[in-house]
Amino acid sequence: MRLLMLGGTGFVGGAVVAEAVRRGWSVTVFNRGVHGEVPAGVHRLRGDRTAPDGLAALAGGEWDLVVDTWDGAPRAVRDAARALVGAVPHYVYVSSGSVYAPPVPLGTGEEVPTVVADPDADDGDYARNKAGGERAAAQVFGGRALLARAGLILGPGEDIGRLPWWLYRVARGGTVLAPGPRDLPIQYVDVRDLAIWLLDRGAEGVGGAYNVIGRTGHATMGELLDAAVAATGSDAALRWTDPAPILAGDVEPWNDLPIWVPRGHEYRWLQERDVERAYAAGLVCRPVGETVADTWRWLREVGGVPERAGRPARAPVGLAPEREAALLAGLPA
């Protein structure tokens, strides 16, 4: 198989490239060439897809599959799709569950409405950019476009820092504010399992929209943090705390305490989406302990969370130590 990866040096793109190389595929990456490296044997084409004639390096090429993770202006997806429509039979666009129009009900499937978005837009917020990218890919490739609506993505290479924040916090030791309940189901996908699914279904020519994320309850907050303690070898003591006092302290779920979204919160749907279509199409998710241990091993190798490729950096995630200490001090003995 001949893969064209648009990007290829960031979190998801890097995992897709690594999986394709592992399979022995012929891999070409197209990007600006200013961020990260690619594995040996991977052909690198340079270009800025937002610039006039920025796709010129793609001219004359032929591939079996293209994967695109773009989250900026939808017109960049439109332009890439138009440039490639005669050079590749199948377009895989890595989208997001954020495309669903609020309010989003629990158990949302692929059939519910998405936000209003323009495939020709110059830019927008994250949800409209991804929804516009979907429309752009589908507008050009029709049923030959696979729209993978990922959710929370964890694993080695994570450049937002959600799981890394928990790992570093647990490794520091002491009493850790653990947001309860301990058995709260979480929903995520390991980036390597996402990459496997994208390449498998892309190679088969599967089209349409899929929520590509593990089942709710594949792991719990307790299992995740227990795995962090085990992976780091820390003496940390997890102080499991009900949501009420945490929320009363102006803690923002998902950002201040990454991954955690308590029941009843307006964004709880991020952890409770219907994924049976993706599972029926072959999605397999590895155990949470493997994801956590491998992420910690990777963090020790690279020395910290890398900068995000391409797009502007996001605000840091995780509570500052002094805020966590104040919250812990206010809890009943």
Side-chain angles (χ1 to χ4, degrees):
M1 288 290 291
R2 298 166 299 171
L3 170 69
L4 172 64
M5 181 72 225
L6 302 182
T9 57
F11 181 28
V12 175
V16 171
V17 168
E19 174 60 22
V21 169
R22 188 193 67 79
R23 296 178 181 206
W25 289 12
S26 171
V27 181
T28 300
V29 300
F30 171 82
N31 54 43
R32 294 177 301 161
V34 299
H35 182 281
E37 300 296 331
V38 297
V42 171
H43 181 49
R44 193 168 195 171
L45 298 175
R46 285 175 167 79
D48 182 349
R49 62 193 296 177
T50 66
D53 297 322
L55 299 169
L58 299 176
E62 291 186 357
W63 298 274
D64 300 306
L65 176 66
V66 59
V67 177
D68 188 0
T69 60
W70 184 255
D71 64 0
R75 63 176 174 78
V77 179
R78 176 204 66 192
D79 292 346
R82 288 176 178 174
L84 292 167
V85 69
V88 63
H90 201 63
Y91 202 104
V92 175
Y93 180 65
V94 182
S95 186
S96 167
S98 297
V99 300
Y100 293 115
V104 183
L106 299 182
T108 289
E110 295 86 354
E111 72 286 350
V112 303
T114 58
V115 297
V116 176
D118 181 0
D120 302 317
D122 287 329
D123 211 352
D125 60 24
Y126 181 75
R128 285 172 174 77
N129 281 345
K130 281 296 192 184
E134 286 192 4
R135 285 167 171 74
Q139 185 181 77
V140 178
F141 277 80
R144 295 183 294 129
L146 175 60
L147 312 175
R149 293 172 180 166
L152 173 62
I153 307 172
L154 303 178
E158 188 197 334
D159 55 7
I160 294 176
R162 294 187 177 106
L163 180 54
W165 183 84
W166 278 115
L167 284 162
Y168 282 129
R169 174 60 195 94
V170 168
R172 196 167 73 237
T175 301
V176 176
L177 179 64
R182 183 185 176 91
D183 62 356
L184 180 71
I186 60 175
Q187 188 175 40
Y188 70 95
V189 65
D190 187 297
V191 68
R192 297 163 295 181
D193 298 329
L194 173 61
I196 290 168
W197 190 90
L198 293 172
L199 294 182
D200 284 348
R201 303 293 80 76
E204 293 171 355
V206 172
Y210 289 79
N211 288 336
V212 189
I213 188 171
R215 290 188 177 100
T216 301
H218 176 72
T220 64
M221 281 301 300
E223 290 167 340
L224 179 85
L225 296 190
D226 284 346
V229 173
T232 60
S234 172
D235 63 356
L238 302 176
R239 176 73 185 275
W240 289 100
T241 306
D242 289 337
I246 297 175
L247 296 174
D250 292 326
V251 169
E252 185 178 357
W254 191 257
N255 290 325
D256 290 339
L257 289 174
I259 301 172
W260 177 69
V261 184
R263 293 185 179 94
H265 192 274
E266 63 177 315
Y267 293 126
R268 178 60 195 170
W269 67 270
L270 289 168
Q271 301 277 9
E272 296 193 34
R273 271 184 286 148
D274 180 12
V275 296
E276 294 313 305
R277 190 166 188 239
Y279 272 85
L283 179 63
V284 176
C285 295
R286 68 194 67 205
V288 66
E290 184 177 335
T291 298
V292 172
D294 290 349
T295 301
W296 181 240
R297 187 178 303 111
W298 162 76
L299 282 170
R300 288 183 292 169
E301 290 172 356
V302 301
V305 178
E307 293 183 3
R308 295 187 68 224
R311 298 286 287 168
R314 296 188 182 187
V317 299
L319 282 176
E322 58 271 18
R323 283 194 67 198
E324 182 192 17
L327 287 163
L328 286 167
L331 297 176

